Every structure is written in C-alpha cells, then in structure tokens.
Amino acid sequence: MKDKLVIFDTTLRDGEQSPGASMTQDEKIRIARLLEKMRVDVIEAGFPAASPGDFKSVNAISEIIKDSTVCGLARANPKDIQKAGEALKPAASSRIHTFIATSPIHMQHKLRMQPDEVIDHAVAAIRQARNFTDNVEFSPEDAGRSEFDFLCRVLEAAIDAGATTVNIPDTVGYNLPSQFGTLVKNLMENVPNSDKAVFSVHCHNDLGLAVANSLAAVMEGARQVECTVNGLGERAGNASLEEIVMAVRTRQDEFVCDINIDTTQIVPASRLVSNITGFPVQPNKAIVGANAFAHEAGIHQDGIIKARETYEIMCAEDVGWAANRMVLGKHSGRNAFKERLKSLGFEFASEEDSIAAFTRFKDLADKKHEIFDDDLQALLTESGNISENERFVLKHIETRSQTSLTPVASVVVEVDGEDAKAEEQGNGAVDATFKAIEKIVDSGGLLQLYSVNSITSGTDAQGEVSVRLEKNGEIVNGHGADLDIVIASAKAYVNALNKLCNPEGKVHPQMAQAI
Ligand code: KIV
Ligand code: ZN
C-alpha cells in the first residue's frame, strides 16, 4: 500500500491573487464543484478576512462541497482566524490555514517583529484555530529564504500547538529542485515532532521550477502539494495541478506515493478556469495545451498509428481530452440539457436559473446546429455572470462596416432600468461598440485585455470574448459568447462594467500588515 499524496488546490485563493484573475462567487462555486468532482483532497476556497465577498464565497463553498475538505486562509492574528472559523462553519470537513513570515527580510521589513514574537503569534493563531477545527495548517511564509535553525524552531512550536499540516512555501520561487528537496528532507529529520504532522510544499514559478521543486520535495517525503489549475497564481504562478498529478500518476515506478484524483476532469477544469479568468492556456502547455497531444510530424504520426506508446507517454482520454463531444441539438429537451450539465459538474441553484439557461440554450440551438460541451460551458459562464440586480443590460446593438468607410456602432443599454442610446465611430466594429457603450456608462475603466476565442471549430462556432478593465487599481474580467463576435464583445464589455461599477475593497493577504 503506497502513501497518499494530498492534493491541495489553491486556484480560488492564490490563483485568484493573480492580477486580473478575480472571480465572482458563482464562478468560484462552479470551479469548486469541478474540483470536488476531480476528487481534490483540499480546496483552499479563499481568504475570508480579505473582504465581505471573500467571506461569503468561502461560506457558500463550505455549504455546498461535501467530498473535499474546504480550507480558508488566515494571517496569524485573532481577527483573521475568527473570520476563517466563521466562514468555514457549515463545511462537512474544514481546515484553517494560518501563516506568518519567517525569513529575515520579511520579519525585519514587513512584520517588524523579532523572531520570538513571530513564534508567539504563530502558536497563538494555531491554538485559536484549533477551537474551530482540529485540521489546522501552518505556513512559515518565505520558508525558502528562512534560516534553517529558526525554521526548525517555528515548525516544532507549530506542531506542538496543534498544527496537523506544516507547509513549506517557496514564496518567491527562489529555490532549486535539489536544494528544496534537501530542505524538506532536513526539516523532517531535524524537527523533533515532525512525525506528528504532514509536510506540505507550496512553490511559486518565478524561475519556472515550481513543479520540479514540488516533485523534488515529494521524493524526499512531502505528502501534500499545493497547486493550481493551469498554474494560475501570483506573478509567474504556482505549481500546476495537472503537471503534478500527471507526473506522479505517470511515473509510479519512481514515486512511493499515489494520488486519488480523477484525472479525466483535468481538461474540463483547465477550460473552466481559463474561461472564467480570461487567462488563455498556451498551446504547448503540458497536459492541457491544445498541442499537448497533437502530432504534426509525419514520422510521429506513423509511429502513433502503429503503437501509441512510441511517442505518447499518457492517453489524451485519461486527462479528459475526449470530452468535447457533440451533445445536444435544437430538439433536445430540458432533462437532457440538465443531465448533460450535471455530467459537466454543474447544478442549478434554482428552477428559475435552470429555465433561464435552457431558454438561452434553445436560442443558441436555433442558430447553431450542433452544440458541444464547450458551447455549454460558455453558456454557463455567461448565465452565471448575469445576476438579477445588474445596473447595465445590453438591449440592442447595430454596427455598420464597409470597405473604406469608418465603422459605426449604435447601442442601446439599459442603465438602472432606463434605456439609453448612443452612436460612435471607431477603428473597427468592436472599437466603435465599446466607445458607444462607454459614452452611455462613462465608467472611466481602462481596457487592459481584449481576447476572442473560437469555442469550437468551423465558421458557425461561437466567439467567446474576454474583456479586462481596470480603474483605480480595481481589475475586473467580463465574458460574453455569441455566434457574432461583435455582439459577444459588447456582452463581455457590459459584463465587465457591471463588475467594475460594483467594486468591493479587498485586502491582499501577503501585502497587508500581518497583525
Ligand atoms: O506563497 C506563499 O507563501 C503563500 C502562503 C500564504 C502560503 O501563498
Ligand atoms: Zn503562494
């Protein structure tokens, strides 16, 4: 019997810290449901003290998720721990993850604390967290640049205080694989009570080594890896879940531990996260990139036809690549629609939501003959993005483009229940449309990203548009899908405006004062 490697997903917390990757509560719930279906062991659902919205999301995910442990992040201070404990209350299985920095540079410049004070805060936070749950994780932030002897003292005190998992973060992605593996091995050998906690790792990808460092630590005894779908996360991101999982699964000849993940959910999860955040997946990305299983060269294709193993070390189907089947058409009924969505990990919160989404599906099916799983995902992202009390609703759009004439867009947008109309010229139909909408809304938001993706192949495919807007440091993403890319763009822009004009102040866990 092999040891179990715990997969701790932090897409909804560290992933969301990536600039521009903010997600709504509904979007987080959809991702959490898919992670649960994937059998992820621990879902870090957010940082409850960051904002009322984060608190509500962690609370809602705790209500819904039954098969994975739901975790909330908290700085090592009483208020954060209290918030995390309250947010996690409904969870079937909960964990509080508390942290404080331990490297000389962080203690001196960020915390302005002496090492002994840092230990006292860590111990107090862990003891307080144990009043809410007996599953408590402690992280010495910036462990990768902390002094070894001090790290041993902090971890010993943390385990004595009741931490059941101790996590070693390479917060700034500075370590190298052999060095990081040795660090974890030495910690496990030198912390006197190390056998009473699971050792975990949390690696950032600043040098492109997050996965290599994590796996080196697993080779040396770490039994939890913290990772994110598509490697989303601060700066260059975190270790990518799909790469960690498939490395351990594919190289069982080398690893003395195994995972409990349903790998067929990897590609659907990658698409969902990319769809929601507007962060595209590069074509040559391992496991989930469009080319990850494509064989262009004739010699490779010939080999694959004769025996797949000649050039493939994994099966595309095993990571969920076959999932994009033609599933529904205009004659499909509501039950078939609901069942198909259920198999994609989606359940409607209410009958009204289900009816509204079905109506949108029928509209699409009238225009598009074949509806694929990816069409459904886009439809859901859009439905999930539309809430009842939106300030802006796109009512009508008309554009005129002609060779040698300047394109013109005329739009009607409902603003707080009243229709407003505007017409503008632009460099192209999309530019004119955005200018016309902006003339009505006057948001002052700066366009940071505009991307169009063809959801399926063929000229009748839906275009899926992501728009990122920034105002006074607040960044939001909007999404829209339609067979007409100008309409999809207008929907995405209006969706982003609804989020931008409804901002919610948010504290960053690592930049804010620790206490
Ligand atoms: O990178 C980091 O150190 C973190 C901690 C909060 C675990 O994200
Ligand atoms: Zn991190």
Side-chain angles (χ1 to χ4, degrees), residues 10 13-14 17 44 141 169-171 202-204 226 233-235 237-238 510:
T10 182
R13 198 278 297 171
D14 216 329
Q17 281 174 220
E44 190 164 51
E141 187 194 358
D170 182 17
T171 303
H202 175 113
C203 297
H204 279 269
E226 304 200 349
E234 289 267 45
R235 307 180 308 279
N238 288 65
Q510 286 150 303

Side-chain angles (χ1 to χ4, degrees), residues 325-345:
R325 280 173 286 137
M326 198 279 275
V327 282
L328 300 169
K330 76 182 203 180
H331 300 297
S332 307
R334 196 139 74 88
N335 270 348
F337 174 71
K338 269 170 88 172
E339 278 310 304
R340 188 65 211 153
L341 291 185
K342 210 168 159 190
S343 77
L344 292 175

